[in-house]
């Protein structure tokens, strides 16, 4: 008879199959067992037909990937440790020394930092283009351009570009387009099927840290596509870079995902209410929110998102130029319900002041405002309580 330690490890009991519950089972594994050598040799890690090693997928991670692919209207999805890791995966899958990538000047800052850092070190060049001017993208495409990033709405400044026009320009030149779809979250518009045209971005990158998580407590990203050729290239790079995600975080995402539609709509509803209220305040020069008519790209948002009428829970404001940076900082410090912190999509409202001069290239797309910009991420608090908090903080300026 085996000793207790061996018996406990190799215990013969197996629970009966066909257990079902609201939440899927959680499988924690690095090592995966095979029935025999033939099964080991026959198993292919590049498909979801079986399991080879925890890094390449378990029933738990496969389940989340399939649900995310459905959410965004794709067919293939890969999980990575963060939204920025998703951006990196796309870059390293499709760019090599001598290639060029084009990035909108109003894009997520770390995407641009990746281009000026690691990509430049590998001999990959980049250029910024004005996302609100398709002709600028057209003029900057070159024979070396292999990848173009698009984003809606623009990070921090919230302009909403003409995504179909940008994609059409790239498709005519055979250039891959990758959309940062964190704002849209697969809900505001269909990333692979703009306006029911059957045409859209080639790849959708999603920071699951935001709305899919909803708790401000998970770091994860996804890369989704409808193109099997692109997915295969991404899958191979995913394997070689050793990207993996913690199954505990996957469990959290699977639990949060069913409520994403309800939460997204609640964030959106409160954000619009506060954005409209702030647009009437004398301290504010402009409110930047795609659903507001005066916001840059509103017509593009209406065209692309008119059917859903969704616009996330983010907006920015530009303070009147008569207010100093110190006064705006005092406003942010005086807020009680809005906490100072990066990210968005969680239950707590956040506020961050930005120096646009450090984020935007005046030679690409001159920023028209002189006042200080502040971005708000609206949480799930009561709208009247948030409005009262904003009002008292404005008085502190």
């Amino acid at each position: 008879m085996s000793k207790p330690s061996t018996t406990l490890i190799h215990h013969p009991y197996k629970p009966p199959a066909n257990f079902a519950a609201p939440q899927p089972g959680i499988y924690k594994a690095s090592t995966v067992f095979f029935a025999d050598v033939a099964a080991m040799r026959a198993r292919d890690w590049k498909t979801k037909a079986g399991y080879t090693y925890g890094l390449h997928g378990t029933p738990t991670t496969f389940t989340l990937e399939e649900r995310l692919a459905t959410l965004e209207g794709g067919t293939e999805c890969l999980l990575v440790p963060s939204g920025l890791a998703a951006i990196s995966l796309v870059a390293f899958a499709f760019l090599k020394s001598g290639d060029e990538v084009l990035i909108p000047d109003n894009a997520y800052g770390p995407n641009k930092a990746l281009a000026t850092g690691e990509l430049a070190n590998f001999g990959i060049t980049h250029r910024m283009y004005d996302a609100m001017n398709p002709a600028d993208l057209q003029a900057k495409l070159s024979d070396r351009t292999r990848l173009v990033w698009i984003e809606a709405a623009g990070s921090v400044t919230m302009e909403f570009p003409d995504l179909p026009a940008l994609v059409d320009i790239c498709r005519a030149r055979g250039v891959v387009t990758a959309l940062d779809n964190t704002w849209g979250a697969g809900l505001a518009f269909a990333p692979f099927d703009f306006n029911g045209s059957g045409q859209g971005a080639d790849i959708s990158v999603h920071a699951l840290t935001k709305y899919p998580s909803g708790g401000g407590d998970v770091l994860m990203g996804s890369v989704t596509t409808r193109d099997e050729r692109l997915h295969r290239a991404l899958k191979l790079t995913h394997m070689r870079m050793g990207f993996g995600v913690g199954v505990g975080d996957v469990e959290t995402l699977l639990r949060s995902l069913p409520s994403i539609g309800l939460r997204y709509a609640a964030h959106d509803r409160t954000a619009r209410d506060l954005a409209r209220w702030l647009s009437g305040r004398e301290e504010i020069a402009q409110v930047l929110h795609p659903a507001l008519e005066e916001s840059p790209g509103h017509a593009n948002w209406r065209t692309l998102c008119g059917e859903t009428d969704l616009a996330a829970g983010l907006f920015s404001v530009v303070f009147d130029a008569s207010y100093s940076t110190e006064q705006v900082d005092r406003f942010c410090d005086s807020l009680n319900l809005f906490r100072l912190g990066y990210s968005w999509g969680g239950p707590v409202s956040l506020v961050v002041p930005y120096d646009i001069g450090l984020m935007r290239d005046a030679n690409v797309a001159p920023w028209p405002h002189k006042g200080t910009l502040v971005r708000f991420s609206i949480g799930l608090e009561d709208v009247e309580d948030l409005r009262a908090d904003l009002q008292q903080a404005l008085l502190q300026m």
Side-chain angles (χ1 to χ4, degrees):
M1 182 175 179
S2 299
K3 298 295 184 181
S5 60
T6 302
T7 301
L8 291 174
I9 294 170
H10 295 276
H11 199 282
Y13 175 79
K14 288 183 174 57
N18 302 318
F19 175 82
Q23 297 301 322
I26 305 304
Y27 295 85
K28 299 180 179 180
S30 52
T31 296
V32 174
F33 293 146
F34 300 87
D36 50 41
V37 173
M40 177 177 278
R41 288 175 173 164
R43 201 72 55 82
D44 183 2
W45 61 268
K46 295 185 288 296
T47 75
K48 286 189 168 80
Y51 307 99
T52 57
Y53 188 65
L55 196 62
H56 306 312
T58 69
T60 311
T61 57
F62 283 177
T63 298
L64 180 57
E65 287 175 345
E66 290 299 308
R67 293 185 182 185
L68 291 169
T70 298
L71 173 67
E72 299 208 70
T75 56
E76 303 285 357
C77 177
L78 294 167
L79 301 177
V80 291
S82 68
L84 182 54
I87 291 171
S88 302
L89 174 61
V90 173
F92 288 115
F94 299 109
L95 298 171
K96 64 181 185 304
S97 180
D99 289 343
E100 179 181 67
V101 56
L102 298 185
I103 304 171
D105 186 49
N106 63 353
Y108 176 56
N111 190 350
K112 295 186 279 188
L114 175 69
T116 59
E118 277 62 33
L119 298 189
N121 291 340
F122 287 120
I124 299 165
T125 61
H126 75 280
R127 280 195 285 176
M128 304 295 177
Y129 71 93
D130 181 358
M132 302 304 291
N133 180 11
D136 188 47
L137 172 62
Q138 177 80 64
K140 288 177 177 174
L141 284 171
S142 74
D143 292 339
R144 295 188 300 109
T145 307
R146 298 291 178 268
L147 176 66
V148 171
W149 282 99
I150 55 178
E151 184 173 334
S155 184
V156 182
T157 47
M158 306 306 297
E159 304 100 327
F160 205 98
D162 185 346
L163 290 183
L166 298 178
V167 167
D168 286 347
I169 289 169
C170 296
R171 181 167 289 111
R173 295 285 293 272
V175 176
V176 173
T177 54
L179 166 70
D180 185 333
N181 195 33
T182 305
W183 179 94
L187 297 169
F189 60 92
F192 301 108
D193 187 14
F194 297 155
N195 302 320
S197 65
Q199 300 291 339
D202 295 311
I203 298 165
S204 177
V205 164
H206 198 159
L208 308 178
T209 306
K210 308 317 198 263
Y211 291 117
S213 163
D217 56 355
V218 170
L219 285 168
M220 199 182 299
S222 63
V223 181
T224 304
T225 183
R226 283 182 172 181
D227 189 312
E228 181 60 35
R229 179 183 61 86
L230 297 180
H231 173 69
R232 182 175 177 82
L234 290 161
K235 182 75 172 176
L236 291 171
T237 301
H238 186 274
M239 181 275 291
R240 291 188 290 256
M241 296 184 75
F243 280 137
V245 296
V247 72
D249 290 340
V250 175
E251 179 184 10
T252 299
L253 262 294
L254 285 168
R255 184 172 182 133
S256 300
L257 205 57
S259 65
I260 186 174
L262 296 173
R263 292 183 284 105
Y264 192 93
H267 290 294
D268 181 6
R269 186 166 53 249
T270 302
R272 287 198 217 193
D273 190 312
L274 296 176
R276 293 190 185 101
W277 179 76
L278 283 167
S279 67
R281 296 286 304 196
E282 62 180 11
E283 301 93 341
I284 306 300
Q286 185 172 13
V287 176
L288 302 165
H289 187 302
L292 270 60
E293 290 187 5
E294 62 271 23
S295 190
H298 168 75
N300 296 329
W301 169 81
R302 176 61 64 190
T303 299
L304 195 63
C305 306
E307 185 174 342
T308 66
D309 193 36
L310 290 173
L314 285 178
F315 66 87
S316 295
V317 301
V318 180
F319 279 84
D320 187 89
S322 63
Y323 291 94
S324 67
T325 300
E326 291 73 21
Q327 286 176 293
V328 175
D329 288 352
R330 188 181 310 134
F331 161 78
C332 294
D333 287 340
S334 299
L335 290 163
N336 296 314
L337 298 179
F338 288 85
R339 304 300 298 270
L340 285 161
Y342 296 104
S343 196
W344 32 277
V348 179
S349 293
L350 304 173
V351 61
V352 182
Y354 284 92
D355 184 346
I356 293 298
L358 298 177
M359 300 180 61
R360 300 287 294 273
D361 186 342
N363 295 318
V364 176
W367 180 243
H369 303 289
K370 294 183 179 179
T372 302
L373 183 145
V374 172
R375 189 184 72 181
F376 296 94
S377 164
I378 305 304
L380 296 174
E381 303 93 341
D382 180 81
V383 64
E384 295 301 330
D385 291 335
L386 293 176
R387 194 191 334 268
D389 193 28
L390 290 169
Q391 187 161 18
Q392 66 83 22
L394 288 168
L395 295 175
Q396 305 301 316
M397 293 177 63

